Every structure is written in C-alpha cells, then in structure tokens.
Amino acid sequence: SRAIMVSTRVVLVTALLQATAFASGRRSASTLCRQRPSLAYRATGMRANTLQGARRVVSRRASESNGGMDPIIAGLRVASPVMSLLKPVFAPLSKVQAGTYDSDATRTRIEKEVKSSPVVVYSFSLSPFCTKAIEVLKAAGAEPKVVELGAEWIPGLISSEGAAIRAELGEMTGRTSMPHIFIGGESIGGLADGTPGLLPMKDDGTLQGRLKKARAI
C-alpha cells in the first residue's frame, strides 16, 4: 500500500542520514535533514541499498570514533522525532498486519511476559534503536530479556505472532514502535521517547534507581 511505501522510504532515508551524521560531526542535523539521500551516499562513501547495509556502515564509522558521546546514539536521538511523525501510520498499519488474532490470549501472554524478568525488551533484530537500547541496558548492569518480534515491522520481515504482539501492545499502551521496554513490569517506552524513554532516564539519573527497584542490578 502507499502507506507502507512511504513509511519504508522514511526508514531508509533516516538510516542514511544517521550514517552521514556520524561521518561528519561538523554538520548540524538540520542541515542533513534538508539534503537529498544521494548527498548522504556521497558523504559517507557508500551505496547502501538496504537498512542492513546502512547499519554496517554506521557501525564501522562508530568504531573509528575516539571517545566522547556514542555517535550512533547521537544520530538516533536526532532520528527519533522524525520516526515519531509516522505514529499515525504505524498504529492502524499494525492492526492490518496482525489481521485476526486472539486478543485476550495475546494480552495475557504480554502481561505474563513483562513480569517474567526485571527488564523485558520487545525488539526488531534489524532496528538500530533496539540494538542500542539493549546495549544501554547492559551497560547499566542489567541483563534484559529480549523478545524478538521479527527483523523489522515491514511486511515479510515480521512474524504473524510478532505482528499480533505489536498490535496488542498498541492497544494496551498506545505504542507500536520498537523497542518497547518494560522495567519491573511497567512500560517506559522506547530508546529516546516514551514514558519517559530509556535515554531520558539515563540523562536525568533515574535509570539506575529504577533498575535497582526492579532488582535488575
């Protein structure tokens, strides 16, 4: 559908802008967002045709960085508001993808799952947002239980079971994007946004306390 095509394009362009931002720290995020994807390709010296290809370049650039803030996280902070603009598309799309499923059984599963470990992360395996969220939690001393819903939200990359869980999470919390992080059985949202989100908690110093309260560390 047109919604899927538009959403996919935004995801891929966002990944390319992230890679460009990492490679050129002197450029502002606002300048990068105004550039065409072709300029992003030239700036990083790559020809990434898939999100996975872009992520490999991003990882290589990050490994070449010397200290300071993680450039990938810095890029994802910039990308997060852009991805948030797609929420009106993602919410109804998640229901379409899920089709007919047992809502009560899926909700019961989620309610049990989020309490099965001090920290539970619903994740897409190819999502840099998910990858970094897990890294941040582990760096804080936690060992999160990761529930993979699929490679990505794109049709064909998410399992029917994963689609049902994603749709039901949306019904329960209003959030269909991943990662979806639960600490002590309570949703805190995603990497950079949510209630209040993982990075905001890390920034304001409340993450450690929340993890300790949940006996995650």
Side-chain angles (χ1 to χ4, degrees):
S1 68
R2 184 176 181 181
I4 294 174
M5 292 176 64
V6 171
S7 300
T8 302
R9 176 175 291 184
V10 173
V11 170
L12 295 176
V13 170
T14 298
L16 292 171
L17 292 177
Q18 291 168 10
T20 307
F22 308 148
S24 181
R26 295 181 181 179
R27 295 187 180 185
S28 67
S30 60
T31 299
L32 289 172
C33 289
R34 289 196 296 268
Q35 294 180 325
R36 296 176 300 172
S38 60
L39 295 181
Y41 288 141
R42 288 199 293 270
T44 55
M46 70 172 185
R47 292 296 184 272
N49 296 316
T50 65
L51 178 59
Q52 187 173 12
R55 289 181 64 229
R56 284 198 295 268
V57 174
V58 169
S59 297
R60 187 171 66 250
R61 298 297 187 189
S63 67
E64 294 170 356
S65 299
N66 296 316
M69 179 183 293
D70 185 326
I72 297 180
I73 286 183
L76 294 178
R77 286 183 190 268
V78 172
S80 182
V82 177
M83 300 304 294
S84 294
L85 296 176
L86 293 175
K87 285 183 179 180
V89 174
F90 284 155
L93 182 59
S94 69
K95 296 179 182 179
V96 173
Q97 284 183 320
T100 302
Y101 68 95
D102 190 330
S103 177
D104 291 338
T106 303
R107 180 168 297 214
T108 297
R109 170 185 170 168
I110 293 171
E111 290 173 345
K112 290 182 178 179
E113 206 158 46
V114 299
K115 295 178 181 178
S116 65
S117 179
V119 181
V120 175
V121 180
Y122 290 94
S123 170
F124 291 140
S125 60
L126 290 183
S127 167
F129 289 90
C130 297
T131 301
K132 277 300 170 184
I134 294 167
E135 287 183 10
V136 169
L137 286 165
K138 288 184 175 181
E143 191 56 46
K145 176 179 180 178
V146 180
V147 181
E148 297 286 3
L149 303 186
E152 256 294 355
W153 65 269
I154 301 170
L157 297 182
I158 184 171
S159 66
S160 58
E161 183 179 54
I165 292 173
R166 179 180 178 231
E168 195 59 31
L169 282 170
E171 291 293 322
M172 295 169 66
T173 67
R175 182 182 185 86
T176 60
S177 58
M178 302 300 141
H180 197 142
I181 305 165
F182 288 79
I183 298 179
E186 297 181 358
S187 171
I188 66 161
L191 175 66
D193 70 315
T195 51
L198 184 60
L199 292 180
M201 290 179 67
K202 180 185 176 186
D203 293 341
D204 66 18
T206 60
L207 178 58
Q208 288 290 323
R210 189 73 170 267
L211 292 174
K212 288 179 180 178
K213 183 179 179 181
R215 298 185 177 182
I217 57 176

